[in-house]
Amino acid sequence: MHLEGTIRHETAVALCAQNGLPTPPAYEYSDLTGFLAVYGAVSRCMVTSQDFERVIFEHGQVMAAQHITYAEMSFNPSLHAIDAWIDGVVRGRASVAREFGIEIAWLVELVRGGPNAANERALDIALTTEGVVGVGLVGDESISAAPLAGLLERARAAGLGFMPHAGQVGGPDVVREAVEVLGATRVAHGVGAESDAGVLQLMLDRGVCMCVCPSSNARIGLKPNFRKFADLGIPLVVNTDDPAMVPTTLERELAVAETTHGLNREALIAAAWTHRFGRRR
């Protein structure tokens, strides 16, 4: 789940007005390109630490209504200038814990093909910000992420997990690189591996967990066979991805996974606890 994708549209409108930015677009899209256009514009509405604190607290209310007690959420520093906003990330996390009893653990996103300085900054934020348990990876899947291996080693040495976006729209080679070259133990989406028996076996052998997003995939026209992965024994968990923009909730994703895709709800929940990067129960 991306923090930027939890921003309620009415909140985005208010924050854009407050920060002197253009009115954000409606959450209307039918493919990944359209989604990214909306996502980029809306993400930039969070400018101050108070903006971040507000968005985090509002999504805490959403999670509390679903009886969620633990969530791993990512954010992308390349979308946000300067660094004063990081205090809002820390305060927002604390307020959600205090008011709702929900533990938020953060993943900080690197960007494929992004400037080295920007990715260095993201890793520095990951290594110095309270509550960070891992790093993520986003961006154009046609670009190799191999040049980021050094940064990922530093993250791993500090005890952080790694969950790249791989195989969302890219093919099996993207997933193979994520696992073989970059050492991913969890993959966001991963559905591009469906057609390659060798990559599927690699994921199974390495115990790689797939973090799948049924409604988010469907919204951009993807129709993966999640049951194929589950039947092979690859662990799956379901996620909301960008719940305000899809829109969806975790309760809905569990229901869709069970009724539409034939997945086992209890197994999905158990895998979420097993494969989380934060502390064990």
Side-chain angles (χ1 to χ4, degrees):
M1 175 173 52
H2 303 273
L3 173 62
E4 291 88 351
T6 71
I7 304 173
R8 301 173 183 175
H9 192 262
E10 58 268 31
T11 299
V13 170
L15 292 180
C16 283
Q18 172 186 299
N19 293 317
L21 299 170
T23 300
Y27 292 173
E28 297 174 356
Y29 57 91
S30 58
D31 55 24
L32 184 60
T33 299
F35 167 75
L36 292 174
V38 172
Y39 187 84
V42 172
S43 296
R44 292 179 177 85
C45 78
M46 292 191 294
V47 176
T48 69
S49 62
Q50 291 81 8
D51 298 343
F52 279 79
E53 187 173 7
R54 172 179 175 176
V55 168
I56 293 165
F57 187 83
E58 287 183 356
H59 195 64
Q61 294 174 311
V62 172
M63 292 192 291
Q66 299 172 75
H67 309 291
I68 292 168
T69 59
Y70 177 83
E72 291 187 359
M73 301 172 62
S74 63
F75 59 86
N76 184 348
S78 74
L79 297 174
H80 311 290
I82 320 177
D83 287 344
W85 53 268
I86 296 171
D87 288 341
V89 170
V90 174
R91 292 199 309 270
R93 176 177 181 266
S95 68
V96 168
R98 182 175 60 251
E99 296 296 324
F100 307 117
I102 298 170
E103 179 185 355
I104 293 174
W106 298 116
L107 276 66
V108 181
E109 293 171 341
L110 308 179
V111 180
R112 293 173 181 272
N116 186 63
N119 282 322
E120 288 273 3
R121 169 179 174 252
L123 181 59
D124 287 344
I125 289 170
L127 295 175
T128 57
T129 301
E130 181 181 334
V132 174
V133 297
V135 292
L137 176 65
V138 296
D140 185 348
E141 291 188 18
S142 69
I143 300 173
S144 171
L148 296 172
L151 293 182
L152 295 173
E153 282 302 316
R154 286 171 53 194
R156 196 170 285 115
L160 300 181
F162 173 51
M163 185 183 74
H165 278 56
Q168 179 180 20
V169 292
D173 287 347
V174 180
V175 181
R176 182 182 293 280
E177 179 187 72
V179 177
E180 277 191 338
V181 178
L182 303 178
T185 55
R186 268 174 32 192
V187 173
H189 301 288
V191 296
E194 184 179 331
S195 63
D196 191 310
V199 175
L200 292 173
Q201 188 63 47
L202 173 68
M203 296 173 71
L204 184 61
D205 292 346
R206 299 283 182 93
V208 175
C209 176
M210 282 178 56
C211 300
V212 301
C213 307
S215 295
S216 175
N217 282 180
R219 184 75 191 269
I220 62 171
L222 300 179
K223 299 178 181 179
N225 182 359
F226 298 122
R227 184 62 183 269
K228 177 176 180 177
F229 296 97
D231 287 348
L232 287 171
I234 296 171
L236 304 182
V237 299
V238 294
N239 307 266
T240 56
D241 205 8
D242 301 287
M245 298 177 178
V246 171
T248 194
T249 64
L250 185 57
E251 285 286 352
R252 181 176 187 276
E253 292 309 289
L254 286 167
V256 168
E258 188 172 33
T259 61
T260 302
H261 298 283
L263 302 178
N264 182 281
R265 179 187 179 98
E266 287 71 29
L268 294 167
I269 294 171
W273 286 112
T274 299
H275 293 277
R276 63 176 173 157
F277 290 151
R279 60 177 175 79
R280 304 299 183 187
R281 285 188 296 184

